[in-house]
Amino acid sequence: MALGEKGRMGEGQTVLPGIIAGATILLGLPLGRLRSPAPGTRVGLNAVAVGILIFLLWDVLSHAFEPVDTALGAVHDGSGGLGPVFGYGVLFLLGLAVGFGSLIAYEHWLGRADSGVSGEGDHGAARPARRGGGPGAMAATDTPTRATPWSPARRLALLIAVGIGLHNFGEGLAIGGSAATGEIGLAVLLVIGFALHNGTEGFGIVAPLAAAEDRPGWGFLLLMGLIGGGPTVLGTIVGHQFTSDTLSVLFLTLAAGSILYVVLQLIGLTSRGGHRNALYLGVFAGLAIGFVTDMIVTAGGA
């Protein structure tokens, strides 16, 4: 079909664009297997990931707030009441709080679990307890425990993948909704744009691993790709069946809260590594990558 041509796509036809948009997250994942990067490179890798995630945070929040903004506009011109403003506003803040708060609770649970095994050992010998929480507490240089066998760098990569996956579910909703309503041209442009974005998101997931010299196996990387990119396909299927501003706001704000938590973790981790110039340049580079890809999509008409 040509761009702009009307005609509702079938569900099977809609799944393929979702797969294409989500699969490009795999492109950046092999960077997680870098061997022994220099300290400045480690800081730079994490800093670029921070920049990309800050862009994603802005992007997610701006899209999640659109229904609130639309409802406020309706109140202003007299075509709507305060009910939708209140409903969407509460949902916006609730999703943000749950996305952010659930990962804080997870961090505290890790602290309790690790403390629970820190006193165990041969002949009851005590081991030092895990340090308290806070930004950067899940440092990539910590070691795994029996309660949490994955290294902190891998746990942080998982949290990034979860946050990005929630975000990509919202992207899938947009693709599926456009295809279902016959906006094929818009759906194609969305697929191209989201594919570009997802290519950078894969790097954001594995940057903590490369910085910590934690070389994961291909199975782990594929799992992270599935968690981060798979929801794009699921969102495409759901969006093809029905469109819902409520569902979109919920998933986007859950993603925003998760991404906010991860950004704070990475900033705390990266700021302790010295090499301030690499930190500043990396964050700027990550932001630039995010906005340049967004400009390309916008210039294309999406």
Side-chain angles (χ1 to χ4, degrees):
M1 281 187 164
L3 292 183
E5 184 178 345
K6 292 286 185 177
R8 191 176 190 272
M9 292 177 67
E11 185 173 320
Q13 294 174 302
T14 307
V15 171
L16 180 59
I19 294 174
I20 294 172
T24 55
I25 199 171
L26 299 173
L27 297 177
L29 294 177
L31 291 172
R33 291 179 56 82
L34 286 176
R35 291 182 179 274
S36 304
T41 303
R42 297 178 201 171
V43 171
L45 290 172
N46 270 337
V48 172
V50 169
I52 291 171
L53 290 172
I54 290 174
F55 166 78
L56 287 177
L57 180 62
W58 168 83
D59 187 53
V60 169
L61 286 176
S62 62
H63 284 89
F65 196 74
E66 283 179 1
V68 182
D69 194 49
T70 301
L72 286 169
V75 171
H76 180 73
D77 61 25
S79 62
L82 290 173
V85 176
F86 179 79
Y88 283 127
V90 169
L91 185 63
F92 181 93
L93 295 175
L94 180 63
L96 194 59
V98 171
F100 189 53
S102 60
L103 294 190
I104 294 175
Y106 172 70
E107 179 182 305
H108 288 313
W109 175 82
L110 285 178
R112 290 195 300 270
D114 289 352
S115 296
V117 298
S118 64
E120 299 175 4
D122 296 335
H123 308 294
R127 292 198 300 269
R130 188 178 187 269
R131 54 189 171 77
M138 198 178 296
T141 54
D142 289 346
T143 56
T145 68
R146 280 184 290 169
T148 53
W150 275 6
S151 70
R154 296 193 185 200
R155 296 202 301 263
L156 187 53
L158 172 63
L159 296 183
I160 296 173
V162 168
I164 287 176
L166 290 169
H167 163 242
N168 286 342
F169 183 87
E171 291 184 347
L173 291 176
I175 296 171
S178 299
T181 56
E183 297 289 343
I184 308 302
L186 177 59
V188 171
L189 288 171
L190 288 173
V191 169
I192 295 171
F194 294 153
L196 285 170
H197 283 313
N198 289 352
T200 63
E201 290 168 0
F203 171 76
I205 292 173
V206 298
L209 298 172
E213 300 183 60
D214 184 344
R215 297 184 74 244
W218 291 109
F220 178 86
L221 293 178
L222 288 174
L223 176 61
M224 294 303 100
L226 181 63
I227 293 171
T232 310
V233 182
L234 181 59
T236 301
I237 296 171
V238 173
H240 186 270
Q241 298 301 320
F242 65 94
T243 56
S244 169
D245 284 340
T246 300
L247 189 65
S248 179
V249 170
L250 177 62
F251 275 91
L252 288 175
T253 51
L254 285 172
S258 302
I259 293 171
L260 176 60
Y261 171 88
V262 170
V263 166
L264 292 176
Q265 286 286 332
L266 282 174
I267 288 175
L269 172 62
T270 307
S271 63
R272 293 200 303 270
H275 300 277
R276 293 285 178 171
N277 288 337
L279 171 60
Y280 300 146
L281 289 174
V283 170
F284 178 80
L287 278 170
I289 290 169
F291 278 104
V292 167
T293 56
D294 195 58
M295 290 175 193
I296 293 171
V297 177
T298 303

